[in-house]
Every structure is written in structure tokens, then in C-alpha cells.
Amino acid sequence: MDLSLSEDRAVEDVRCEFGKMKNAMECEQEIRSAIRPILKDLTNHTKEAVAILRAVHQSSRNTADLTQAARARLPQIQSLLKQLGTVYPSEWYHRYHDMWRNTCQNLSLLGSFIHYLQTGTLIRRNQLADLLELSISADDGFCITLDDMLAGFLDLASELSRLAVNSVVHGDVERPVQIAAFINEMNSAFQLLNLKNDFLRRRYDGLKYDVRKVEEVVYDLSIRGLKNPGEPGSG
């Protein structure tokens, strides 16, 4: 066997393999470059919509106008989400998940915040997908993963614990009781989960603090005679 020929083939194989890796890296870089401007706009629109809802802390009785204003931002958000889903191969969703993880968590907060202010209940996964016009699974298109959705729920709990305090400041003594019942129910539901995600486990510790904070607000209302001790959320 010609040893030099064998060596030439080995060198060619190495060059070929590295050429494929170079092309793959360039392709991935192009996709990331295409994602960034869309994601930047999506992040900004999402933050603006959440900021609209956070005005509820200044006047907890003005929820209808605020949710309507936030929902008015949804068409632009939905359009950007559709654009985002076209710039990467569908099977590569998790490869780029690190880029949009935080934005997806904010989208979960946005959807669950709107839903709570309108209904007083926790949004379901299919309802969140319908609201944002997303898929349920990454196999079918752009989606919000279960972990990101749960992280958004924990952010919602923090917003609501703050709202409980601010509602009292503005003379609304009913909302803290409703929030206390809701957050306690959410806490019980999270206890049923086997949270293996370290990030979620750390965030869940914050939910325990939110529960305690709201219960203290309700207790203060009770001892001041501003609510009936027998109402939900009093214990």
C-alpha cells in the first residue's frame, strides 16, 4: 500500500471535515444574526406591554383600561413571534433557546398578568399559546417552554404580592384577599411539581416570600377590622 497516498487521503478527510464544521458555524452565525434584530424588537414591545400593566400599582381599580391597552400591543408581538419562527430550522429551537429565554419568560408574565387582571384566574398553557398565537410544542413552531411559562407565573406572583400592598394604599381592601387566595393556590400547585431546574427551584423560593408578604397584608386588614376574618385568605 502506498503510504503517501494514505496520508494524503487522511489530510483530505481532515480538511473536508473542518470545511463542513466551518460551513455549519457560519450558517449558525447567520441565523443568530437574523434572530437578534427581531428578538430586540420583540423584547422591547413585550417590556412596554408589561409596563402598561404595571400601572395597575398606581390605581388598582383601573384594570380594564390597562388590560385593553396592553392587549393593543399583542398584534405587533404576534407578528414578531411569527417572524422569529421563520429564521431558524424548527428542529433547532432549543439550540437558540438561550437567546430568547428571558423574553419568553416575560411573554409568560405578560399573558398571565393580562389573564389574571381580566378573570382572576391563572392562564392555562393552551390559553397562553392562543393569546400570543404560538404553538404548544417546539416541534410545531415557536413556543414558550413549560419552564419559561412557570418562570413567568412566578414573576406574576411577585407582581401580585406588590399589588396587594398597593391596593390597600389606594383603599381597595378586597383585592389583597383575592390575591392571597390565588397565590396560596399557586403555591400549593407548585409544591406538586418535582422541580429539577435549578433556576426554577431558586425562583420558587421567592414565591414562598410572596405568600408570606400577602398573608401579612391580609392579617393587618383583619386586625384593623377592614375585612371579615372568615373570608377566604384570612388564615
Side-chain angles (χ1 to χ4, degrees), residues 167-197:
S167 295
V168 175
V169 173
H170 296 293
D172 184 352
V173 297
E174 295 180 1
R175 189 180 289 273
V177 179
Q178 298 165 354
I179 290 174
F182 177 82
I183 290 185
N184 270 295
E185 188 172 343
M186 184 188 290
N187 184 45
S188 297
F190 265 93
Q191 289 176 357
L192 298 175
L193 302 178
N194 181 18
L195 296 178
K196 297 180 179 180
N197 185 311

Side-chain angles (χ1 to χ4, degrees), residues 10-71:
V11 170
E12 185 60 30
D13 288 344
V14 170
R15 288 176 178 172
C16 181
E17 192 62 31
F18 271 79
K20 291 178 181 178
M21 287 190 284
K22 178 177 179 291
N23 291 337
M25 291 173 67
E26 289 176 348
C27 177
E28 182 162 343
Q29 187 57 44
E30 289 176 2
I31 292 174
R32 288 184 179 272
S33 296
I35 288 172
R36 287 189 187 98
I38 301 172
L39 187 59
K40 181 180 178 181
D41 287 345
L42 176 61
T43 300
N44 289 338
H45 281 286
T46 302
K47 287 181 177 179
E48 289 170 3
V50 171
I52 290 171
L53 294 176
R54 282 180 173 146
V56 75
H57 296 296
Q58 278 71 57
S59 177
S60 64
R61 301 180 188 276
N62 195 29
T63 58
D65 291 342
L66 295 177
T67 53
Q68 183 177 356
R71 291 183 74 100

